Short mmCIF file of all heavy atoms in Angstrom, two decimals:
data_model
loop_
_atom_site.label_atom_id
_atom_site.label_comp_id
_atom_site.label_asym_id
_atom_site.label_seq_id
_atom_site.Cartn_x
_atom_site.Cartn_y
_atom_site.Cartn_z
N MET J 1 0.82 -1.19 -0.03
CA MET J 1 0.01 0.00 0.00
C MET J 1 0.87 1.27 0.01
O MET J 1 1.96 1.24 0.56
CB MET J 1 -0.90 0.04 1.26
CG MET J 1 -2.03 -0.93 1.21
SD MET J 1 -3.32 -0.36 0.15
CE MET J 1 -3.98 -1.84 -0.47
N PHE J 2 0.33 2.29 -0.61
CA PHE J 2 1.00 3.57 -0.63
C PHE J 2 0.65 4.41 0.64
O PHE J 2 -0.51 4.37 1.06
CB PHE J 2 0.64 4.40 -1.87
CG PHE J 2 1.11 3.81 -3.12
CD1 PHE J 2 0.28 3.07 -3.95
CD2 PHE J 2 2.45 3.92 -3.49
CE1 PHE J 2 0.71 2.53 -5.17
CE2 PHE J 2 2.92 3.37 -4.69
CZ PHE J 2 2.05 2.65 -5.51
N LYS J 3 1.65 5.05 1.13
CA LYS J 3 1.42 5.91 2.30
C LYS J 3 1.57 7.37 1.81
O LYS J 3 2.63 7.74 1.35
CB LYS J 3 2.38 5.62 3.46
CG LYS J 3 2.15 6.42 4.69
CD LYS J 3 3.03 6.03 5.78
CE LYS J 3 2.80 6.87 7.01
NZ LYS J 3 3.70 6.49 8.11
N PHE J 4 0.52 8.14 1.90
CA PHE J 4 0.57 9.52 1.42
C PHE J 4 0.90 10.43 2.59
O PHE J 4 0.38 10.32 3.69
CB PHE J 4 -0.78 9.90 0.82
CG PHE J 4 -1.10 9.15 -0.45
CD1 PHE J 4 -1.89 8.05 -0.45
CD2 PHE J 4 -0.53 9.54 -1.66
CE1 PHE J 4 -2.18 7.34 -1.59
CE2 PHE J 4 -0.77 8.88 -2.82
CZ PHE J 4 -1.61 7.76 -2.78
N ASN J 5 1.77 11.33 2.31
CA ASN J 5 2.13 12.39 3.29
C ASN J 5 1.20 13.56 3.10
O ASN J 5 1.36 14.34 2.17
CB ASN J 5 3.57 12.81 3.07
CG ASN J 5 4.07 13.71 4.11
OD1 ASN J 5 3.39 13.97 5.13
ND2 ASN J 5 5.25 14.32 3.91
N ARG J 6 0.25 13.65 3.97
CA ARG J 6 -0.79 14.69 3.85
C ARG J 6 -0.34 15.92 4.70
O ARG J 6 0.03 15.76 5.83
CB ARG J 6 -2.15 14.22 4.27
CG ARG J 6 -2.67 13.14 3.32
CD ARG J 6 -4.03 12.78 3.63
NE ARG J 6 -4.43 11.76 2.68
CZ ARG J 6 -5.61 11.20 2.66
NH1 ARG J 6 -6.51 11.57 3.54
NH2 ARG J 6 -5.86 10.25 1.78
N HIS J 7 -0.51 17.09 4.12
CA HIS J 7 -0.21 18.28 4.83
C HIS J 7 -1.43 18.69 5.69
O HIS J 7 -2.56 18.33 5.38
CB HIS J 7 0.07 19.44 3.85
CG HIS J 7 1.36 19.23 3.10
ND1 HIS J 7 1.48 18.41 2.07
CD2 HIS J 7 2.59 19.78 3.35
CE1 HIS J 7 2.72 18.45 1.59
NE2 HIS J 7 3.39 19.29 2.35
N LYS J 8 -1.16 19.42 6.76
CA LYS J 8 -2.20 19.92 7.64
C LYS J 8 -2.27 21.41 7.41
O LYS J 8 -1.29 22.11 7.38
CB LYS J 8 -1.90 19.64 9.12
CG LYS J 8 -1.78 18.17 9.42
CD LYS J 8 -3.10 17.47 9.40
CE LYS J 8 -2.88 16.05 9.86
NZ LYS J 8 -4.07 15.26 9.74
N ARG J 9 -3.45 21.93 7.27
CA ARG J 9 -3.70 23.36 7.12
C ARG J 9 -3.73 24.00 8.50
O ARG J 9 -4.33 23.47 9.43
CB ARG J 9 -4.96 23.64 6.39
CG ARG J 9 -5.25 25.15 6.16
CD ARG J 9 -6.42 25.41 5.29
NE ARG J 9 -6.24 24.90 3.96
CZ ARG J 9 -5.63 25.50 2.96
NH1 ARG J 9 -5.08 26.72 3.18
NH2 ARG J 9 -5.52 24.97 1.78
N LEU J 10 -3.05 25.17 8.61
CA LEU J 10 -3.04 25.88 9.86
C LEU J 10 -3.32 27.37 9.54
O LEU J 10 -2.73 27.95 8.66
CB LEU J 10 -1.62 25.81 10.49
CG LEU J 10 -1.33 26.60 11.75
CD1 LEU J 10 -2.18 26.05 12.91
CD2 LEU J 10 0.14 26.49 12.09
N THR J 11 -4.29 27.91 10.25
CA THR J 11 -4.62 29.33 10.12
C THR J 11 -4.15 30.08 11.35
O THR J 11 -4.42 29.66 12.49
CB THR J 11 -6.15 29.49 9.98
OG1 THR J 11 -6.57 28.73 8.82
CG2 THR J 11 -6.52 30.93 9.78
N LEU J 12 -3.41 31.13 11.13
CA LEU J 12 -2.88 31.95 12.20
C LEU J 12 -3.39 33.35 12.17
O LEU J 12 -3.50 33.95 11.11
CB LEU J 12 -1.36 32.00 12.14
CG LEU J 12 -0.57 30.72 12.28
CD1 LEU J 12 0.88 30.96 11.97
CD2 LEU J 12 -0.75 30.09 13.61
N LEU J 13 -3.71 33.90 13.30
CA LEU J 13 -4.05 35.33 13.45
C LEU J 13 -2.82 35.98 14.08
O LEU J 13 -2.46 35.68 15.18
CB LEU J 13 -5.26 35.50 14.32
CG LEU J 13 -6.56 34.95 13.78
CD1 LEU J 13 -7.68 35.08 14.81
CD2 LEU J 13 -6.95 35.61 12.49
N LEU J 14 -2.23 36.88 13.32
CA LEU J 14 -0.98 37.52 13.81
C LEU J 14 -1.27 38.98 14.15
O LEU J 14 -2.02 39.64 13.51
CB LEU J 14 0.07 37.53 12.71
CG LEU J 14 0.50 36.15 12.14
CD1 LEU J 14 1.45 36.38 11.00
CD2 LEU J 14 1.18 35.35 13.23
N PRO J 15 -0.61 39.47 15.24
CA PRO J 15 -0.72 40.87 15.52
C PRO J 15 -0.10 41.65 14.40
O PRO J 15 0.73 41.13 13.66
CB PRO J 15 0.08 41.06 16.82
CG PRO J 15 0.60 39.73 17.19
CD PRO J 15 0.18 38.75 16.18
N PRO J 16 -0.53 42.89 14.20
CA PRO J 16 -0.03 43.67 13.06
C PRO J 16 1.48 43.72 12.90
O PRO J 16 2.01 43.63 11.81
CB PRO J 16 -0.60 45.08 13.29
CG PRO J 16 -1.78 44.85 14.13
CD PRO J 16 -1.51 43.64 14.99
N GLU J 17 2.18 43.85 14.03
CA GLU J 17 3.67 43.94 13.96
C GLU J 17 4.29 42.64 13.43
O GLU J 17 5.24 42.66 12.64
CB GLU J 17 4.28 44.29 15.36
CG GLU J 17 3.80 45.61 15.91
CD GLU J 17 2.44 45.52 16.64
OE1 GLU J 17 1.95 44.37 16.92
OE2 GLU J 17 1.85 46.59 16.87
N LEU J 18 3.72 41.52 13.90
CA LEU J 18 4.29 40.28 13.45
C LEU J 18 3.87 39.95 12.01
O LEU J 18 4.69 39.41 11.22
CB LEU J 18 3.76 39.13 14.38
CG LEU J 18 4.46 37.77 14.23
CD1 LEU J 18 5.94 37.84 14.36
CD2 LEU J 18 3.87 36.84 15.25
N ALA J 19 2.72 40.37 11.63
CA ALA J 19 2.29 40.24 10.22
C ALA J 19 3.18 41.08 9.30
O ALA J 19 3.56 40.61 8.21
CB ALA J 19 0.83 40.72 10.03
N GLN J 20 3.56 42.23 9.74
CA GLN J 20 4.54 43.07 8.97
C GLN J 20 5.90 42.41 8.93
O GLN J 20 6.52 42.46 7.88
CB GLN J 20 4.65 44.47 9.61
CG GLN J 20 5.54 45.40 8.80
CD GLN J 20 4.97 45.65 7.39
OE1 GLN J 20 3.84 46.10 7.25
NE2 GLN J 20 5.79 45.43 6.38
N ASP J 21 6.35 41.82 10.01
CA ASP J 21 7.61 41.09 9.97
C ASP J 21 7.59 39.96 9.00
O ASP J 21 8.58 39.78 8.23
CB ASP J 21 7.91 40.52 11.40
CG ASP J 21 8.32 41.60 12.42
OD1 ASP J 21 8.61 42.71 12.02
OD2 ASP J 21 8.26 41.24 13.61
N MET J 22 6.46 39.24 8.91
CA MET J 22 6.33 38.17 7.99
C MET J 22 6.41 38.67 6.54
O MET J 22 7.11 38.14 5.68
CB MET J 22 5.03 37.39 8.22
CG MET J 22 4.78 36.26 7.22
SD MET J 22 5.93 34.89 7.37
CE MET J 22 5.21 33.97 8.72
N GLN J 23 5.70 39.78 6.28
CA GLN J 23 5.70 40.37 4.95
C GLN J 23 7.07 40.85 4.59
O GLN J 23 7.53 40.62 3.44
CB GLN J 23 4.67 41.53 4.88
CG GLN J 23 4.51 42.07 3.48
CD GLN J 23 3.41 43.11 3.44
OE1 GLN J 23 2.91 43.54 4.48
NE2 GLN J 23 3.10 43.60 2.27
N ASP J 24 7.80 41.47 5.48
CA ASP J 24 9.13 41.94 5.28
C ASP J 24 10.08 40.71 4.94
O ASP J 24 10.90 40.81 3.95
CB ASP J 24 9.70 42.64 6.50
CG ASP J 24 9.06 43.95 6.78
OD1 ASP J 24 8.32 44.49 5.91
OD2 ASP J 24 9.22 44.51 7.90
N LEU J 25 9.94 39.65 5.63
CA LEU J 25 10.76 38.43 5.38
C LEU J 25 10.43 37.88 4.01
O LEU J 25 11.33 37.42 3.31
CB LEU J 25 10.52 37.37 6.45
CG LEU J 25 11.24 37.61 7.76
CD1 LEU J 25 10.77 36.65 8.84
CD2 LEU J 25 12.77 37.52 7.60
N GLU J 26 9.15 37.83 3.66
CA GLU J 26 8.76 37.35 2.33
C GLU J 26 9.48 38.16 1.25
O GLU J 26 10.01 37.60 0.29
CB GLU J 26 7.24 37.44 2.15
CG GLU J 26 6.44 36.43 2.88
CD GLU J 26 4.95 36.66 2.69
OE1 GLU J 26 4.44 36.17 1.68
OE2 GLU J 26 4.34 37.36 3.49
N GLN J 27 9.46 39.48 1.38
CA GLN J 27 10.06 40.36 0.37
C GLN J 27 11.58 40.22 0.36
O GLN J 27 12.19 40.18 -0.74
CB GLN J 27 9.65 41.80 0.59
CG GLN J 27 8.18 42.03 0.35
CD GLN J 27 7.79 43.45 0.79
OE1 GLN J 27 8.51 44.19 1.42
NE2 GLN J 27 6.53 43.83 0.40
N LYS J 28 12.19 40.18 1.51
CA LYS J 28 13.68 40.07 1.59
C LYS J 28 14.21 38.74 1.15
O LYS J 28 15.30 38.68 0.52
CB LYS J 28 14.13 40.35 3.04
CG LYS J 28 14.00 41.76 3.49
CD LYS J 28 14.45 41.94 4.88
CE LYS J 28 14.17 43.36 5.33
NZ LYS J 28 14.45 43.53 6.80
N THR J 29 13.48 37.67 1.42
CA THR J 29 14.00 36.35 1.10
C THR J 29 13.44 35.70 -0.21
O THR J 29 14.04 34.78 -0.70
CB THR J 29 13.70 35.34 2.24
OG1 THR J 29 12.27 35.20 2.37
CG2 THR J 29 14.28 35.85 3.57
N GLY J 30 12.27 36.15 -0.60
CA GLY J 30 11.60 35.58 -1.76
C GLY J 30 10.93 34.23 -1.40
O GLY J 30 10.50 33.50 -2.28
N LEU J 31 10.87 33.91 -0.10
CA LEU J 31 10.25 32.66 0.34
C LEU J 31 8.76 32.88 0.60
O LEU J 31 8.34 34.00 0.92
CB LEU J 31 10.92 32.15 1.61
CG LEU J 31 12.37 31.79 1.51
CD1 LEU J 31 12.99 31.49 2.88
CD2 LEU J 31 12.60 30.61 0.54
N SER J 32 7.99 31.84 0.58
CA SER J 32 6.59 31.90 0.88
C SER J 32 6.42 31.97 2.37
O SER J 32 7.29 31.58 3.17
CB SER J 32 5.84 30.72 0.32
OG SER J 32 6.22 29.52 1.03
N ARG J 33 5.23 32.41 2.80
CA ARG J 33 4.87 32.39 4.24
C ARG J 33 5.02 31.01 4.84
O ARG J 33 5.50 30.88 5.94
CB ARG J 33 3.43 32.89 4.45
CG ARG J 33 3.28 34.31 4.20
CD ARG J 33 1.84 34.73 4.47
NE ARG J 33 1.65 36.06 3.92
CZ ARG J 33 0.56 36.60 3.51
NH1 ARG J 33 -0.57 35.91 3.64
NH2 ARG J 33 0.48 37.80 3.04
N GLY J 34 4.52 30.00 4.08
CA GLY J 34 4.58 28.63 4.58
C GLY J 34 6.04 28.19 4.77
O GLY J 34 6.34 27.59 5.79
N GLU J 35 6.91 28.52 3.83
CA GLU J 35 8.33 28.11 3.94
C GLU J 35 8.99 28.82 5.13
O GLU J 35 9.80 28.23 5.82
CB GLU J 35 9.07 28.33 2.64
CG GLU J 35 10.47 27.82 2.65
CD GLU J 35 10.66 26.35 2.91
OE1 GLU J 35 9.68 25.56 2.62
OE2 GLU J 35 11.68 25.92 3.41
N ILE J 36 8.72 30.09 5.30
CA ILE J 36 9.29 30.85 6.40
C ILE J 36 8.82 30.21 7.70
O ILE J 36 9.62 30.02 8.61
CB ILE J 36 8.89 32.33 6.35
CG1 ILE J 36 9.55 32.98 5.12
CG2 ILE J 36 9.25 33.08 7.63
CD1 ILE J 36 9.02 34.35 4.79
N PHE J 37 7.52 29.90 7.81
CA PHE J 37 6.98 29.26 9.02
C PHE J 37 7.64 27.90 9.24
O PHE J 37 8.03 27.60 10.39
CB PHE J 37 5.49 29.14 8.91
CG PHE J 37 4.88 28.63 10.17
CD1 PHE J 37 4.68 29.45 11.28
CD2 PHE J 37 4.51 27.30 10.27
CE1 PHE J 37 4.12 28.98 12.46
CE2 PHE J 37 3.90 26.84 11.41
CZ PHE J 37 3.72 27.65 12.52
N ARG J 38 7.79 27.10 8.21
CA ARG J 38 8.40 25.76 8.34
C ARG J 38 9.84 25.85 8.84
O ARG J 38 10.24 25.14 9.74
CB ARG J 38 8.35 25.00 7.08
CG ARG J 38 7.02 24.39 6.70
CD ARG J 38 7.06 23.52 5.50
NE ARG J 38 7.15 24.27 4.23
CZ ARG J 38 6.13 24.86 3.61
NH1 ARG J 38 4.89 24.71 4.10
NH2 ARG J 38 6.31 25.52 2.51
N ARG J 39 10.58 26.81 8.30
CA ARG J 39 11.95 26.98 8.72
C ARG J 39 12.05 27.51 10.13
O ARG J 39 12.93 27.08 10.91
CB ARG J 39 12.70 27.92 7.82
CG ARG J 39 12.95 27.31 6.42
CD ARG J 39 13.66 28.27 5.50
NE ARG J 39 13.80 27.69 4.19
CZ ARG J 39 14.66 28.14 3.30
NH1 ARG J 39 15.43 29.17 3.51
NH2 ARG J 39 14.74 27.57 2.11
N ALA J 40 11.14 28.41 10.50
CA ALA J 40 11.12 28.90 11.87
C ALA J 40 10.79 27.80 12.88
O ALA J 40 11.42 27.71 13.94
CB ALA J 40 10.10 30.06 12.00
N MET J 41 9.88 26.99 12.53
CA MET J 41 9.48 25.84 13.37
C MET J 41 10.65 24.87 13.55
O MET J 41 10.88 24.38 14.66
CB MET J 41 8.26 25.13 12.87
CG MET J 41 6.98 25.92 13.06
SD MET J 41 6.53 26.14 14.78
CE MET J 41 6.33 24.44 15.32
N ALA J 42 11.35 24.58 12.48
CA ALA J 42 12.46 23.64 12.53
C ALA J 42 13.59 24.24 13.45
O ALA J 42 14.17 23.51 14.23
CB ALA J 42 13.00 23.38 11.15
N LEU J 43 13.85 25.52 13.32
CA LEU J 43 14.84 26.17 14.11
C LEU J 43 14.43 26.17 15.58
O LEU J 43 15.25 25.85 16.48
CB LEU J 43 15.08 27.60 13.65
CG LEU J 43 16.12 28.43 14.34
CD1 LEU J 43 17.50 27.78 14.28
CD2 LEU J 43 16.20 29.84 13.73
N TYR J 44 13.17 26.52 15.84
CA TYR J 44 12.70 26.52 17.23
C TYR J 44 12.75 25.12 17.86
O TYR J 44 13.22 24.97 18.97
CB TYR J 44 11.19 27.01 17.22
CG TYR J 44 10.63 27.09 18.62
CD1 TYR J 44 10.96 28.12 19.49
CD2 TYR J 44 9.82 26.09 19.10
CE1 TYR J 44 10.43 28.20 20.77
CE2 TYR J 44 9.27 26.16 20.36
CZ TYR J 44 9.60 27.24 21.19
OH TYR J 44 9.09 27.31 22.47
N LYS J 45 12.37 24.11 17.07
CA LYS J 45 12.42 22.73 17.60
C LYS J 45 13.80 22.31 17.98
O LYS J 45 14.09 21.74 19.03
CB LYS J 45 11.87 21.77 16.53
CG LYS J 45 11.83 20.31 16.99
CD LYS J 45 11.31 19.35 15.94
CE LYS J 45 11.36 17.93 16.43
NZ LYS J 45 11.03 17.04 15.36
N ARG J 46 14.77 22.66 17.10
CA ARG J 46 16.17 22.29 17.38
C ARG J 46 16.70 23.05 18.59
O ARG J 46 17.40 22.48 19.46
CB ARG J 46 17.04 22.60 16.12
CG ARG J 46 18.55 22.38 16.31
CD ARG J 46 18.95 20.99 16.71
NE ARG J 46 18.73 20.06 15.65
CZ ARG J 46 19.67 19.72 14.73
NH1 ARG J 46 20.84 20.25 14.78
NH2 ARG J 46 19.37 18.84 13.81
N ALA J 47 16.36 24.33 18.70
CA ALA J 47 16.80 25.09 19.85
C ALA J 47 16.23 24.56 21.12
O ALA J 47 16.92 24.44 22.15
CB ALA J 47 16.39 26.60 19.63
N LYS J 48 14.91 24.23 21.14
CA LYS J 48 14.32 23.65 22.39
C LYS J 48 14.96 22.29 22.75
O LYS J 48 15.23 22.03 23.92
CB LYS J 48 12.79 23.47 22.17
CG LYS J 48 12.00 24.69 22.20
CD LYS J 48 12.11 25.46 23.51
CE LYS J 48 11.42 24.76 24.67
NZ LYS J 48 11.50 25.55 25.91
N GLU J 49 15.22 21.44 21.75
CA GLU J 49 15.86 20.17 22.03
C GLU J 49 17.19 20.38 22.62
O GLU J 49 17.59 19.67 23.55
CB GLU J 49 15.92 19.35 20.73
CG GLU J 49 14.62 18.77 20.26
CD GLU J 49 14.70 18.22 18.88
OE1 GLU J 49 15.72 18.37 18.14
OE2 GLU J 49 13.70 17.58 18.45
N THR J 50 17.94 21.32 22.08
CA THR J 50 19.30 21.64 22.60
C THR J 50 19.25 22.10 24.06
O THR J 50 19.99 21.63 24.92
CB THR J 50 19.99 22.70 21.74
OG1 THR J 50 20.10 22.17 20.39
CG2 THR J 50 21.34 23.08 22.27
N GLN J 51 18.31 23.05 24.32
CA GLN J 51 18.18 23.53 25.72
C GLN J 51 17.71 22.43 26.69
O GLN J 51 18.20 22.36 27.83
CB GLN J 51 17.23 24.71 25.78
CG GLN J 51 17.81 25.97 25.17
CD GLN J 51 16.90 27.15 25.25
OE1 GLN J 51 15.66 27.03 25.32
NE2 GLN J 51 17.46 28.34 25.29
N GLN J 52 16.82 21.54 26.22
CA GLN J 52 16.33 20.47 27.12
C GLN J 52 17.46 19.51 27.44
O GLN J 52 17.40 18.82 28.47
CB GLN J 52 15.17 19.78 26.43
CG GLN J 52 13.91 20.64 26.45
CD GLN J 52 12.79 20.06 25.61
OE1 GLN J 52 12.99 19.17 24.82
NE2 GLN J 52 11.60 20.59 25.83
N LYS J 53 18.45 19.41 26.59
CA LYS J 53 19.61 18.54 26.86
C LYS J 53 20.71 19.29 27.57
O LYS J 53 21.88 18.88 27.54
CB LYS J 53 20.14 17.96 25.53
CG LYS J 53 19.16 17.00 24.88
CD LYS J 53 19.68 16.52 23.55
CE LYS J 53 18.67 15.62 22.85
NZ LYS J 53 19.13 15.24 21.51
N GLN J 54 20.36 20.48 28.16
CA GLN J 54 21.32 21.28 28.91
C GLN J 54 22.33 21.94 28.00
O GLN J 54 23.39 22.35 28.48
CB GLN J 54 21.99 20.50 30.04
CG GLN J 54 21.04 19.77 30.98
CD GLN J 54 20.01 20.73 31.60
OE1 GLN J 54 20.32 21.73 32.13
NE2 GLN J 54 18.73 20.35 31.55
N GLY J 55 22.07 22.04 26.74
CA GLY J 55 22.96 22.75 25.81
C GLY J 55 22.67 24.21 25.74
O GLY J 55 21.70 24.69 26.31
N ASN J 56 23.50 24.95 25.05
CA ASN J 56 23.33 26.38 24.88
C ASN J 56 23.02 26.68 23.41
O ASN J 56 23.59 26.06 22.54
CB ASN J 56 24.59 27.15 25.25
CG ASN J 56 24.96 26.99 26.68
OD1 ASN J 56 24.27 26.40 27.49
ND2 ASN J 56 26.10 27.52 27.07
N VAL J 57 22.12 27.63 23.24
CA VAL J 57 21.80 28.12 21.86
C VAL J 57 22.44 29.48 21.72
O VAL J 57 22.12 30.40 22.49
CB VAL J 57 20.26 28.22 21.67
CG1 VAL J 57 19.95 28.78 20.26
CG2 VAL J 57 19.63 26.86 21.86
N LEU J 58 23.38 29.59 20.80
CA LEU J 58 24.13 30.82 20.63
C LEU J 58 23.95 31.43 19.26
O LEU J 58 23.81 30.73 18.26
CB LEU J 58 25.65 30.52 20.83
CG LEU J 58 26.02 29.87 22.15
CD1 LEU J 58 27.50 29.45 22.11
CD2 LEU J 58 25.75 30.76 23.31
N LEU J 59 23.97 32.74 19.21
CA LEU J 59 23.97 33.49 17.96
C LEU J 59 25.25 34.30 17.90
O LEU J 59 25.63 34.92 18.88
CB LEU J 59 22.74 34.46 17.89
CG LEU J 59 21.38 33.81 17.93
CD1 LEU J 59 20.33 34.94 18.00
CD2 LEU J 59 21.14 32.97 16.73
N ARG J 60 25.88 34.27 16.75
CA ARG J 60 27.14 35.02 16.57
C ARG J 60 26.83 36.21 15.69
O ARG J 60 26.38 36.01 14.51
CB ARG J 60 28.23 34.17 15.97
CG ARG J 60 29.58 34.90 15.84
CD ARG J 60 30.62 34.12 15.09
NE ARG J 60 30.78 32.74 15.60
CZ ARG J 60 31.63 32.40 16.54
NH1 ARG J 60 32.39 33.31 17.10
NH2 ARG J 60 31.66 31.16 16.92
N GLY J 61 27.07 37.43 16.16
CA GLY J 61 26.88 38.61 15.33
C GLY J 61 27.96 38.81 14.32
O GLY J 61 29.01 38.12 14.37
N SER J 62 27.74 39.71 13.40
CA SER J 62 28.76 39.98 12.37
C SER J 62 30.06 40.53 12.96
O SER J 62 31.09 40.38 12.34
CB SER J 62 28.21 40.97 11.33
OG SER J 62 27.85 42.22 11.96
N ASP J 63 29.98 41.07 14.18
CA ASP J 63 31.15 41.50 14.88
C ASP J 63 31.86 40.44 15.63
O ASP J 63 32.87 40.63 16.33
CB ASP J 63 30.77 42.67 15.87
CG ASP J 63 29.76 42.22 16.90
OD1 ASP J 63 29.33 41.10 16.90
OD2 ASP J 63 29.44 43.10 17.73
N GLY J 64 31.36 39.20 15.58
CA GLY J 64 31.93 38.07 16.26
C GLY J 64 31.39 37.87 17.64
O GLY J 64 31.77 36.86 18.31
N GLU J 65 30.62 38.79 18.15
CA GLU J 65 30.10 38.67 19.50
C GLU J 65 29.07 37.56 19.59
O GLU J 65 28.22 37.42 18.74
CB GLU J 65 29.45 39.98 19.93
CG GLU J 65 28.94 39.97 21.35
CD GLU J 65 28.34 41.30 21.80
OE1 GLU J 65 28.52 42.31 21.13
OE2 GLU J 65 27.68 41.32 22.86
N LEU J 66 29.16 36.68 20.64
CA LEU J 66 28.23 35.67 20.87
C LEU J 66 27.19 36.08 21.85
O LEU J 66 27.45 36.75 22.83
CB LEU J 66 28.94 34.42 21.46
CG LEU J 66 29.89 33.63 20.50
CD1 LEU J 66 30.56 32.57 21.29
CD2 LEU J 66 29.10 33.11 19.35
N ARG J 67 25.94 35.73 21.53
CA ARG J 67 24.81 36.01 22.42
C ARG J 67 24.07 34.71 22.65
O ARG J 67 23.80 33.94 21.70
CB ARG J 67 23.88 37.03 21.79
CG ARG J 67 24.52 38.37 21.66
CD ARG J 67 23.48 39.42 21.25
NE ARG J 67 24.13 40.72 21.18
CZ ARG J 67 24.56 41.31 20.08
NH1 ARG J 67 24.39 40.71 18.93
NH2 ARG J 67 25.12 42.48 20.12
N GLU J 68 23.75 34.43 23.86
CA GLU J 68 23.04 33.19 24.19
C GLU J 68 21.52 33.47 24.13
O GLU J 68 21.03 34.50 24.58
CB GLU J 68 23.34 32.68 25.61
CG GLU J 68 22.65 31.40 25.93
CD GLU J 68 23.10 30.80 27.29
OE1 GLU J 68 23.88 31.42 28.00
OE2 GLU J 68 22.60 29.70 27.61
N VAL J 69 20.79 32.52 23.51
CA VAL J 69 19.32 32.64 23.43
C VAL J 69 18.76 31.94 24.65
O VAL J 69 19.06 30.75 24.84
CB VAL J 69 18.82 31.98 22.09
CG1 VAL J 69 17.32 32.00 22.06
CG2 VAL J 69 19.46 32.64 20.90
N ILE J 70 17.99 32.63 25.43
CA ILE J 70 17.36 32.07 26.62
C ILE J 70 15.87 32.34 26.55
O ILE J 70 15.38 33.12 25.74
CB ILE J 70 17.98 32.65 27.91
CG1 ILE J 70 17.84 34.17 27.95
CG2 ILE J 70 19.44 32.25 28.06
CD1 ILE J 70 18.22 34.82 29.26
N GLY J 71 15.13 31.65 27.35
CA GLY J 71 13.73 31.93 27.52
C GLY J 71 12.84 31.39 26.34
O GLY J 71 11.82 31.96 26.11
N LEU J 72 13.30 30.36 25.67
CA LEU J 72 12.46 29.77 24.63
C LEU J 72 11.38 28.90 25.22
O LEU J 72 11.52 28.28 26.17
CB LEU J 72 13.32 28.95 23.67
CG LEU J 72 14.25 29.68 22.75
CD1 LEU J 72 15.11 28.73 21.95
CD2 LEU J 72 13.52 30.59 21.82
#
């Protein structure tokens, strides 16, 4: 038998500021809203898994400065 990978539809109500951020990302990256959301979810999932294993989530700025992401 064939197993079909079915997508689930999700409707989100975003506050105006977040909706504008999404629109800005669409324009800057050329990605769809769905793809931006999928990538954000994947990043969030990895960050949470790392923190749950007592690891650190770090961002490195263009100046080389490291910042730890906390409170996820």
